[in-house]
Amino acid sequence: MGRRARPVLASLGPLTLDRAGPEPLHRQLYRALRQAVVDGRLRPGERLPPSRALATDRGLSRNTVVTAYDTLLAEGYVTGRVGAGTFVATALPDVPPEGAPRRLDTRRGVGLSRRGAALAEAPSVARDPLDRPFSLGTPDLNAFPFALWGQLLGRSWRVGGRGLAADPDPLGHPPLREAIAGYLRAVRAVRCDAEQVVIVSGAQQGLALVAQLLLDPGDVAWVENPGWPGNRAALLGAGARLVPVPVDAEGIDVAEGVRRGAGARLALVTPSHQFPLGVTMSLGRRLQLLDWAAAHDAWIVEDDYDSEFRYAGPPLAALQGLDEAGRVVYVGSFSKVMFPALRLGYVVVPQDLVESVRAARRHFDGGTSVVPQAALHRFVADGHLASHLRAMRALYAGKRAALLDALGREFAGLGKPEAGDAGMHVLLRLPDGCSDRALAERAARVGLTAPPLSGYGVDGVGGNALVLGFAAHGVEALERAARELAGVAEGLTERAPWLSRPSPPHPAPHPSPRPAGAG
């Protein structure tokens, strides 16, 4: 058993909490406790007082203390034992305290620029290499026609021969650009011709290319908050000064962006299916954003990362299709539509930027490998892409409905599953008192990848939820993972009384998934 707690953290001394300040009390308490651990005032193995006792002693709500404890648990500063309490970890995490400067190893002569250092330190979310349940961004690879793809690769090389071996067009394989332009005009209402389409090695390279062309070091750029960390990293690599702008039910809050970052040069948005919240930008907000860009000579980068998978009605028109002033750069990818290792994406640029992009590609990398581009051209032009998308939409709709049903059963009254009309993930909203980071940490220990929503926001903006992917796994695996996740959540009962409830009986066989668009 652990050591007895000293009387209500007497060694911590008086807590200085700014109850009127902008930082939440649970964050202030967490930082004070963590510093006490780092300083040695709270010793390894020492038991922290019960959350109710600390709350009473310090005049706080119990939820405030529980949330602070959960954050310490998620970061490895404390451990929890059911029925025993919360204890200072015997081995502290090998990370610097929050706010401490991070240092790169310069012993081997590494000397990065300020932009390089910012890029190296930028938060990132790596794809789960183990492909565990709820992992994000991975399509169902079992459903992709790899045999057909192999045939198209061979055919492209046999037919293209020496022509494919010559220096490529820096903007990409012309037949593929033509096919993509036709597809985008028909399906996404993008206004473009083939000359404006640039083939890149994935959307991330496209974003980095655009940022390098449009931003000077120190330029202000709006980013959605919460949002995908990779998007922020692309702008940091160009030396941008990022201004996080909150997202509401209508998308990015343009008025708040103007208030926080007047004079911004660029706004990077996901209007068709915001990541990770899943909302769709309203028409009014789209027009407001376009008016802002035109009036301030600013740019909008539209990341259309997974709009192909829409389950309610036809695909929405792209923001780019509404642009009359030529201020929108449109970015898309085939990684989620086909398979991640393909590493092919595209950027649609306004006509005025075409030659600048051509010159930049010539200087940066000369262009993207042509052989897979030729095969992709045939995959699109011969109708295989359209057929594959129809099949995947139906498949994913069933998985999505099954996961929402399973989460609704397993977390009845405790968590709220929700999903937008598109995409490859859903959210599981958690009640106050259950930290999404703590639950994600515990889920990882039992083989589940359940990223916390708070990890995608700057300063914890976004809410308390888990972000759960469903595309890569079958219905039975998703239902089993939902049960396992609920079991992990039950393990937090000691510190989160809202979880205490009788477990509902699990129905025997699950009914067939709802039709596409349900959920």
Side-chain angles (χ1 to χ4, degrees), residues 137-507:
T138 303
D140 190 335
L141 300 182
N142 293 323
F144 186 76
F146 283 107
L148 170 63
W149 179 250
Q151 295 170 7
L152 293 176
L153 281 171
R155 175 187 169 190
S156 298
W157 187 249
R158 289 193 303 272
V159 174
R162 187 178 298 274
L164 295 181
D167 286 339
D169 185 330
L171 297 184
H173 189 48
L176 175 60
R177 294 163 60 203
E178 188 70 57
I180 290 175
Y183 166 79
L184 293 176
R185 288 194 299 265
V187 176
R188 302 292 293 115
V190 171
R191 299 196 292 188
C192 68
D193 55 35
E195 187 180 24
Q196 295 171 257
V197 177
V198 183
I199 307 301
V200 291
S201 298
Q204 196 67 24
Q205 187 195 50
L207 292 172
L209 173 67
V210 170
Q212 291 284 344
L213 279 173
L214 301 183
L215 295 174
D216 287 320
D219 278 350
V220 174
W222 295 354
V223 291
E224 296 173 326
N225 192 26
W228 179 246
N231 288 357
R232 298 198 292 266
L235 301 183
L236 286 172
R241 182 164 64 87
L242 303 188
V243 172
V245 181
V247 175
D248 59 23
E250 294 189 74
I252 192 170
D253 188 337
V254 178
E256 184 65 15
V258 172
R259 190 183 71 80
R260 296 186 180 192
R265 175 72 173 162
L266 181 147
L268 176 50
V269 295
T270 52
S272 294
H273 182 237
Q274 200 277 334
F275 185 90
L277 298 180
V279 301
T280 299
M281 189 182 294
S282 68
L283 177 60
R285 195 64 64 79
R286 291 176 184 230
L287 296 176
Q288 186 182 9
L289 184 62
L290 290 168
D291 288 345
W292 164 80
H296 293 84
D297 194 27
W299 297 96
I300 301 169
V301 178
E302 178 178 9
D303 180 7
D304 204 17
Y305 68 100
D306 71 353
S307 64
E308 292 87 356
F309 303 120
R310 184 168 179 80
Y311 312 110
L316 296 176
L319 173 67
Q320 191 267 6
L322 299 173
D323 180 24
E324 298 286 349
R327 309 308 302 175
V328 177
V329 177
Y330 180 91
V331 180
S333 172
F334 292 97
S335 294
K336 294 179 178 61
V337 171
M338 296 171 66
F339 54 94
L342 180 61
R343 305 310 307 148
L344 286 179
Y346 50 88
V347 179
V348 178
V349 300
Q351 189 67 49
D352 291 347
L353 290 180
V354 169
E355 291 309 314
S356 298
V357 173
R358 186 190 302 275
R361 289 306 301 279
R362 187 178 292 114
H363 295 313
F364 285 167
D365 58 10
T368 301
S369 179
V370 177
V371 176
Q373 290 188 61
L376 182 56
H377 162 241
R378 295 270 37 111
F379 192 77
V380 177
D382 293 349
H384 302 303
L385 176 64
S387 297
H388 181 62
L389 284 175
R390 284 194 297 271
M392 299 310 288
R393 273 193 289 267
L395 178 64
Y396 291 168
K399 294 182 180 186
R400 172 179 175 271
L403 178 56
L404 289 172
D405 279 348
L407 293 173
R409 291 195 309 274
E410 303 298 338
F411 287 85
L414 305 176
K416 179 184 178 184
E418 64 180 48
D421 292 332
M424 300 163 65
H425 74 272
V426 303
L427 295 181
L428 177 62
R429 296 281 185 182
L430 302 173
D432 293 338
C434 180
S435 162
D436 58 355
R437 291 177 184 265
L439 185 51
E441 174 75 16
R442 292 195 168 207
R445 296 174 190 167
V446 299
L448 302 177
T449 297
L453 177 60
S454 59
Y456 294 99
V458 178
D459 298 329
V461 169
N464 188 37
L466 298 180
V467 186
L468 307 178
F470 58 79
H473 301 280
V475 167
E476 291 185 1
L478 292 170
E479 292 174 339
R480 182 169 58 251
R483 288 195 296 271
E484 293 173 351
L485 184 62
V488 172
E490 291 290 353
L492 294 175
T493 304
E494 173 77 5
R495 294 188 309 285
W498 53 265
L499 281 171
S500 299
R501 81 202 195 285
S503 299
H506 298 302

